[in-house]
Amino acid sequence: MKGTLSIVGFGLSTIGPGTATGLIFAAYINGVARQPEARSILQPIAFLGFALAEALAIFGLVLAFVLK
Amino acid sequence: MAQPGFVPPDSNDFIFKPIFGSSIFMTKPALMIFFSVILIVVFFTISARKAAVVPSRLQFAGESVYGFVRTTIGQDVIGPEFERFTPFLFAIFTFVLTNNLFGVIPFMQFPTMSRIGFPVSITIFVYLVYHYVAIKKKGLGRYLKEMCFMPGVPKPIYIILAPVEFLTYFAVRPLTLAMRLFGNMFAGHLLLLLFTLGGEYMLKSALFVKFFSVLSFGMAIGLSFFEMGIECLQAYIFTLLAALYIAGALADEH
Amino acid sequence: MATTDDGAFWTIIAYLIAGLGFWGGMGFLADHFLKTNFLTVLGMFLGMATGLYLIWIRFIKESPK
């Protein structure tokens, strides 16, 4: 076995954002299904949450390459 | 356990020997690309040959694929000018779909798109098309201005924002487009290889371990169906994003 | 409808990667030439902020409909 520990770290760090993205879209779909006219209000909020959660994942990706 | 240990599959399993002589031009993936083109041409020629008002089964299959690309991807995304781009999108969709599905067809079992060269060359086409469309419609200066300098931002912040916008359109978009297709196919094929090779290895070892190889082979078969879904989905997403980029190039303002 | 959502996800990811990549890379280069070691981190934070700000402008402030 060979490889770097950074990749393992990146793998671990994707658990959080993955869970977060799932929860955000579960809530978004739930909301739209219950009240379709609320879509225009919910969509920006869902995108903001998605962007913030994804930012952490990409941070992890870059740090996995940068840190040696 | 005196045998040599289990050798996990790695990226070397994606490199094939040349078929004719020593030229690396003709390997299995290259042969499969040519085969896929022939397959697509033959299929759609036959299905459109005897076009009738009451379609035969083959004609119905061909027309439903075409209708799917034309309506769901073309019309819904690009809007009124979609008719010009339908052949382009249709060609991309069928080509990527056929080559992806080679990954689960017995005796081929290699998704051509898991060699990075093929997604990159398709992406270059998409890249040229959407920039050409935008520059022809808006002119180079206006295109760049609309891209980099969106309204509603204080002037000094443009120094920070403009390079990032520029990089997004010219580097990151094609990069993610190619990497997504390549990554999905590569990882999927590696996963199938791992379970199949693992099952084979366990079958050769001690009696107790042999029972677990059934589990591994079962997993490989289950994942093959899962892969089939992913392969169709990736072809769809690739075409959809190509359509979205063209739509963004055609849009008047952001 | 669903298709525009799909496009937005990938655009968001592209913005984040571009912001982080560009300003993080600038910071890395600055570190390399100025022999310092804090500018990479600074650049990465700036890039992340830029990416999030662009997403804010594109998708949230003037949300599509």
Side-chain angles (χ1 to χ4, degrees), chain C residues 34-47:
Chain C
L34 300 179
K35 307 274 192 288
T36 49
N37 58 5
F38 64 97
L39 284 172
T40 309
V41 178
L42 209 68
M44 280 170 71
F45 277 112
L46 180 68

Side-chain angles (χ1 to χ4, degrees), chain B residues 137-207:
Chain B
K137 173 147 181 168
K138 298 173 185 169
L140 185 61
R142 213 185 116 210
Y143 178 48
L144 288 177
K145 186 166 160 289
E146 267 186 18
M147 183 199 300
C148 297
F149 302 100
M150 61 176 77
V153 178
K155 283 255 156 52
I157 297 184
Y158 281 132
I159 303 169
I160 302 175
L161 294 190
V164 175
E165 282 274 359
F166 187 80
L167 205 68
T168 306
Y169 275 80
F170 278 93
V172 178
R173 273 183 164 192
L175 195 77
T176 50
L177 195 62
M179 285 304 285
R180 177 165 43 248
L181 183 56
F182 162 72
N184 270 289
M185 291 306 110
F186 184 84
H189 189 61
L190 208 58
L191 202 64
L192 291 184
L193 269 183
L194 179 69
F195 277 106
T196 322
L197 290 179
E200 191 193 359
Y201 177 74
M202 282 195 273
L203 206 59
K204 282 182 197 155
S205 39
L207 183 67

Side-chain angles (χ1 to χ4, degrees), chain B residues 43-44 47-48 57-68 90:
Chain B
F43 176 75
F44 284 105
S47 77
R57 216 169 276 171
L58 202 62
Q59 190 193 342
F60 179 72
E63 276 177 2
S64 55
V65 176
Y66 181 73
F68 171 73
F90 183 62

Side-chain angles (χ1 to χ4, degrees), chain B residues 72 76-77 146-147 150-154 157 159-161 163-165 167-169 172-173 175-176 180 236-237 240-241 244-245 254, chain C residues 1-8 10-11 13-23 46-47 49-51 53-54 57-58 61-62:
Chain B
T72 318
D76 288 359
V77 176
E146 267 186 18
M147 183 199 300
M150 61 176 77
V153 178
I157 297 184
I159 303 169
I160 302 175
L161 294 190
V164 175
E165 282 274 359
L167 205 68
T168 306
Y169 275 80
V172 178
R173 273 183 164 192
L175 195 77
T176 50
R180 177 165 43 248
Y236 169 65
I237 286 183
L240 180 70
L241 283 171
L244 274 166
Y245 294 163
H254 293 301
Chain C
M1 293 293 262
T3 49
T4 52
D5 276 6
D6 239 15
W10 295 118
T11 315
I13 292 179
Y15 273 135
L16 289 173
I17 292 177
L20 202 62
F22 183 76
W23 287 111
L46 180 68
T50 314
Y53 185 57
L54 279 170
I57 298 170
R58 276 278 153 86
K61 203 173 82 183
E62 40 183 81

